[in-house]
Amino acid sequence: MVSAVTTSPSTGSEPEAPCCDPQLAAVTAERKRKRKESNRLSAQRSRARKQQQLDDLTKQVTALRARNGAMAAAAYDVERRCAAVQAENALLQAMNLELGERLQSLTELIQCMEAAMYHQPQLLDANMYYY
C-alpha cells in the first residue's frame, strides 16, 4: 500500500497539508499568535521610542528658541550701549579738538607776551597779569 501523507520538497519531514493534522495546526496557530504579539509589542516599543525622540526634540527646540531670544536681547543691549559709547566718543573728540585749539591759542599768547616782554620790558608793569 502507498502512504497518503506526502512530504514537502523543502524539508522532507513536514507534511504538505498541516490543516489535516489538528495538533500541527494548533502549533502553527500558536506560533503565528506569538509572532503577531511579538510584532505588536515591537511596534509599540518603536512608537514609544519615536515619541520620546519627538518629545526630546520639542524640548530642544523650546530651549534653543529661549536661548536665541536671550541672545537677541543681549545683542540689542550691546548695540544700544555701543551707540551710546560712540556718541560719547564723538563728544569727547570734539571737546579734545576745542581744548587743543584753546591750548594752541594760549600758547601763542604766552609766546607773544614773552617776546614782547623780552624785547620791550619797560612796557610791562606788575599790574598787567591781573585780569
Side-chain angles (χ1 to χ4, degrees):
M1 250 175 114
V2 178
S3 170
V5 177
T6 59
T7 59
S8 73
S10 63
T11 60
S13 62
E14 296 179 25
E16 272 186 7
C19 63
C20 297
D21 186 2
Q23 187 178 9
L24 185 57
V27 169
T28 303
E30 181 63 20
R31 284 183 188 162
K32 185 176 180 181
R33 186 193 65 76
K34 284 183 180 180
R35 189 171 50 251
K36 281 185 176 182
E37 178 68 15
S38 174
N39 287 344
R40 186 184 66 79
L41 293 174
S42 177
Q44 188 177 21
R45 286 190 303 270
S46 177
R47 286 190 298 273
R49 276 193 308 273
K50 285 185 179 184
Q51 184 62 46
Q52 183 62 45
Q53 289 172 344
L54 180 63
D55 293 344
D56 292 345
L57 289 174
T58 302
K59 288 177 186 177
Q60 187 177 6
V61 165
T62 302
L64 288 173
R65 283 186 177 154
R67 184 176 176 197
N68 190 29
M71 290 176 85
Y76 175 76
D77 187 48
V78 167
E79 288 175 2
R80 191 176 46 80
R81 285 187 287 155
C82 182
V85 167
Q86 287 174 338
E88 183 181 10
N89 190 31
L91 177 65
L92 290 174
Q93 285 177 344
M95 289 174 63
N96 183 37
L97 183 62
E98 180 185 340
L99 291 173
E101 290 172 354
R102 284 179 63 191
L103 178 62
Q104 180 67 31
S105 175
L106 290 173
T107 302
E108 290 173 2
L109 179 64
I110 290 172
Q111 289 173 352
C112 186
M113 290 176 68
E114 287 176 347
M117 194 167 74
Y118 179 73
H119 292 299
Q120 298 175 353
Q122 69 276 9
L123 294 177
L124 299 175
D125 66 353
N127 294 330
M128 184 175 181
Y129 291 105
Y130 296 112
Y131 298 177

